[in-house]
Structure formats: C-alpha cells, structure tokens
Amino acid sequence: MQEEIRFATFNVCNLAPAGAKLYDNLEPLSPAQYAAKAEWTARQIDLLDADVIGFQEIFSQAALRDVLSRTRHYRDATLAGYDAMDAAGRMLPTVALVSRLPLAGAGVAWANFPAGMTVSADDNACRFARAPLHVQVHLPGGQLTDVVVVHLKSRRPDYRHGDGNDAAAYALANLRSLQRRGAEAVALRVLASELGHSGRPRIVLGDFNDIANAVTTAIVMGAGAPCEAHGEMPEMRARLYDANAIQLRQDALRHVGYTNIHDSAYMTIDHILVSEHFHAASPRAIGAVQEVSCLNDHLLLGLPHASDHGQVLARIKLLGNID
C-alpha cells in the first residue's frame, strides 16, 4: 500500500484562455502569453508531484484541462471544479481540485453560507465570493476523506461608489474587505465543523488571504473554541491544524516558507489545514504531517507567465510508516 500521501495548494494567478477579458485593468492574454503560462503551470504541477492539488483563480476549467494535458504525471488525473460567470457573461475566478487518488463523486461547490447566517445587509452577504469546493477522496486503503478547496476574500480595499481617496476612505475600504473575509471564515468554519460530525478525516486547503496567526485563519481552524466532544483529548476532535505548525521535520534555522510578497513583505497566506487524523499527537491519527515545503523561487524572478503565489506541499506518512 502507498506509504505517503501528498497534498498541495496552488493559486495559479488568473488562468484563462487567450483573449478572455477578466478585469477592466488587465489585458487579455495573447496566444503566446497563454502558452507560456500554461507550460509554466504544467511544470510546477509536475514539480509538486502531489496526489491531490487544490487550485485557485481558475477562470476556465477547460484551460486547466489543457494545462493538465501538458504535464507528464497528471494527464490521467481526475479534475473536479466548476465555471462561473457574472451577469454580463464575464468569467469569474473559481477553485478546482485535481487528484490522482480516486474520488467518491464530482464534488460540491458551497455557494451559500450556512442557513440563517447573515452578517450585513449587502446583496451578497450570505454567499461566498468564490465558492469553496468540497470533494471526497479515497486515500490508499480506502479511507474516505473530506477535502475542501478555498479562496477567501482578498485584502484588496473594498471601495464603494462615492468613496473619497483620503485616509479614512482607505481605512473603511480595508475594513469592508476584512469583514467580508471574516464572514467567509465563519461560514467555512461552520461547514467544516458539520463535516467533522462524520468522524472522517478533513483537509481544508487554499488561499486564505491571511497568515496562519490571523483571526480569520484561526476562526477556520477553530482554535480556542469550546469543546463539543467528551472523553480523551476532546479538544482535538473539533478543530483543524496548520500543517506547517505540526510537521515533524521542523528546522527553524532554515525556515523559508512564504507564498506571497506584498510591499516587500514576505507572507504565507496559502495554507493546508488538517484534522486530528493527521496530527502525530492524536490517539486517533491515521497518519502524520512529515514535512511542509513551499515552491517559491519564481516569486523573486519576476516571470510574467508565473504565478504571484508560491505553492505549498504537505507530505503525510500514513499510520505504521511514521519515522
């Protein structure tokens, strides 16, 4: 039986066909630019060599299928995802999952927040800006595992019509973005908790648009939440853990894990969260996170066809094979 499973998350940065208009301030890719991006993305996927990869900023599932056809190791992998468009027919960014492990179904996009959850009077107050994708994956040996791919609201200031350009308007626009990301984090936490009632392993991965210690990320993890379960180590049952924080091969002197550079600040905003089933300290563990690494060298090269995010890879040793 396969001894190690590998999960990864990859924000590809606006993957769309050549000629597709995505944003008013962004020119469509030419055929040559698209080919360069597709080839680079395919090489990165092969470098990850993960069993399951969650993707963000997929504007076209057909474009992702084309990328997979350019890989060496994922041409026969299973793709789960969905396309989305706005009222004007313009493509919208979505998430997707590619797996070399068998899936239990096509996956479900969680467009709406849990019933009864409202945070403001906005028209989209009860919906995710980019619907998370829930897919059930069969691990080696048959264990069914819930995997959720996410892309939470960005830090981009949310200006409204009529806003000024002074410091107060900028601060309020940033607060709106934070409120939106916070609401999505709460909704995701509730949905992930509902999955946890099954007792199955869970993995939530993607672009959280905030660091692991941020309040929004902590909300998704359930850090510090009151315990619902009873018995041995009940606090481990409900929450999720940052794979980077619980990996067994820690090396503080060589830690260079960052996935984004913004205003010269190096940050990790792409995360892989796991349930206790992959935590070495849990009595119910079926495996343990051995190592988390980032593919981020391209961030310093300024390649026009590369992503503006690093990719995160988590290696998990299955029970009985842990060093």
Side-chain angles (χ1 to χ4, degrees):
M1 188 180 76
Q2 186 175 340
E3 295 183 352
E4 179 181 284
I5 50 177
R6 298 159 67 98
F7 288 84
T9 182
F10 188 170
N11 184 322
V12 297
C13 186
N14 301 334
L15 180 64
K21 185 67 174 177
L22 306 181
Y23 300 111
D24 292 337
N25 61 348
L26 183 67
E27 289 298 316
L29 294 178
S30 69
Q33 288 171 327
Y34 169 78
K37 183 175 184 63
E39 289 292 340
W40 180 87
T41 305
R43 289 197 301 272
Q44 289 296 109
I45 292 173
D46 279 330
L47 281 173
L48 284 169
D49 196 24
D51 298 292
V52 177
I53 307 176
F55 291 90
Q56 301 83 44
E57 296 197 17
I58 303 297
F59 283 80
S60 164
Q61 298 298 315
L64 182 53
R65 290 189 187 93
D66 176 58
V67 168
L68 295 176
S69 74
R70 299 168 185 256
T71 65
R72 291 174 296 164
H73 306 305
Y74 292 84
R75 294 176 184 177
D76 297 323
T78 304
L79 168 61
Y82 61 96
D83 286 322
M85 292 188 176
D86 64 14
R90 184 175 289 186
M91 294 177 176
L92 294 174
T94 66
V95 301
L97 178 141
V98 170
S99 177
R100 298 188 300 199
L101 298 175
L103 305 184
V108 177
W110 289 338
N112 298 319
F113 287 180
M117 181 182 164
T118 304
V119 294
S120 74
D122 290 350
D123 291 340
N124 295 318
C126 298
R127 295 175 60 86
F128 288 96
R130 292 164 289 236
L133 180 68
H134 170 222
V135 183
Q136 292 188 317
V137 178
H138 288 285
L139 301 185
Q143 172 68 63
L144 193 61
T145 298
D146 292 298
V147 181
V148 182
V149 186
V150 306
H151 188 181
L152 298 188
K153 175 69 177 71
S154 73
R155 293 187 175 196
R156 185 178 296 109
D158 182 8
Y159 284 103
R160 302 296 170 88
H161 181 70
D163 282 352
N165 59 0
D166 57 7
Y170 176 73
L172 286 172
N174 277 284
L175 177 60
R176 292 189 194 104
S177 290
L178 175 59
Q179 289 173 325
R180 183 66 185 173
R181 189 165 61 257
E184 291 188 340
V186 173
L188 183 58
R189 176 60 195 162
V190 172
L191 292 168
S193 295
E194 290 175 353
L195 288 181
H197 294 158
S198 70
R200 294 187 299 265
R202 290 166 294 158
I203 295 180
V204 179
L205 50 80
D207 179 356
F208 288 71
N209 267 307
D210 226 330
I211 62 174
N213 291 332
V215 171
T216 52
T217 314
I219 287 173
V220 178
M221 289 190 285
C227 302
E228 298 178 358
H230 301 282
E232 184 182 11
M233 303 182 72
E235 69 281 0
M236 298 196 74
R237 291 182 183 268
R239 62 163 298 179
L240 298 168
Y241 298 87
D242 175 16
N244 187 58
I246 65 171
Q247 61 179 308
L248 296 180
R249 295 178 181 172
Q250 296 277 4
D251 187 347
L253 296 179
R254 294 194 310 110
H255 185 67
V256 290
Y258 60 89
T259 66
N260 186 254
I261 305 174
H262 181 70
D263 289 340
S264 299
Y266 291 71
M267 300 179 293
T268 298
I269 60 176
D270 304 84
H271 308 292
I272 299 176
L273 310 181
V274 301
S275 63
E276 62 163 339
H277 304 82
F278 305 111
H279 195 315
S282 171
R284 291 169 288 276
I286 64 170
V289 178
Q290 288 290 105
E291 187 174 40
V292 176
S293 55
C294 294
L295 277 64
N296 54 19
D297 288 347
H298 61 278
L299 295 178
L300 301 176
L301 299 177
L303 304 175
H305 49 269
S307 173
D308 57 352
H309 282 246
Q311 295 81 58
V312 180
L313 173 69
R315 296 174 45 236
I316 299 174
K317 284 283 188 179
L318 297 178
L319 189 65
N321 304 298
I322 301 175
D323 293 341

